[in-house]
Amino acid sequence: MTAIDPTIGASKPITLRVIFILNALKILLAFGFFAAFKFYGLQVGELVGPQAANLMLYTMLGYMVTFACIVASILKRSMIGIRTAIGVDFLVSIPATAVIGLIIATISMGLTLTASVRVYFAYRG
């Protein structure tokens, strides 16, 4: 008979750290696109000029809000909260057609389905 370790789920798994890092990098990427549109005249398809810069600015602000919700959900161990925040994050990427943002949101959602993340959120210590 094996004993169940009562501390399983007490510490943050690596997959949660990956979610955190990916979403933090997405904010930096959106800022980079904002700067490129605003100051360097970047053109991506139909996105060009001040309208594109404003769209990237609002997208970045949306990413920042959802990132704060993701962090709060991790600290409160709320599975519903983190999945809702990631879902909203996915929706924030749609108006800017931010393919990288959509991919990161999809990967993040998939990572919340892993066993280690579920155990972390289920732990009540």
Side-chain angles (χ1 to χ4, degrees), residues 42-73:
L42 177 68
Q43 180 175 354
V44 178
E46 296 176 6
L47 293 174
V48 65
Q51 297 87 2
N54 287 337
L55 181 61
M56 286 298 119
L57 178 64
Y58 293 132
T59 301
M60 180 183 65
L61 293 174
Y63 287 161
M64 293 169 95
V65 170
T66 57
F67 181 72
C69 293
I70 288 170
V71 171
S73 298

Side-chain angles (χ1 to χ4, degrees), residues 2 4 13 16-17 20 22 26 32 48 52 54 68 72 75 81-82 89 97 103 109-110 114 117:
T2 60
I4 297 174
L16 264 184
R17 295 174 197 275
F20 179 88
L22 285 174
K26 187 165 44 171
V48 65
N54 287 337
L75 294 175
I82 194 169
D89 188 68
T97 318
I103 291 170
M109 187 63 79
T114 62
V117 171

Side-chain angles (χ1 to χ4, degrees), residues 5 17 19 49 57 71 78 81 85-86 104 109 125:
D5 185 5
R17 295 174 197 275
I19 292 170
L57 178 64
V71 171
S78 172
I86 292 170
I104 289 175
M109 187 63 79

Side-chain angles (χ1 to χ4, degrees), residues 101-124:
L102 295 169
I103 291 170
I104 289 175
T106 304
I107 290 170
S108 296
M109 187 63 79
L111 290 174
T112 66
L113 301 173
T114 62
S116 61
V117 171
R118 284 185 284 139
V119 167
Y120 173 78
F121 283 107
Y123 177 78
R124 302 289 179 232

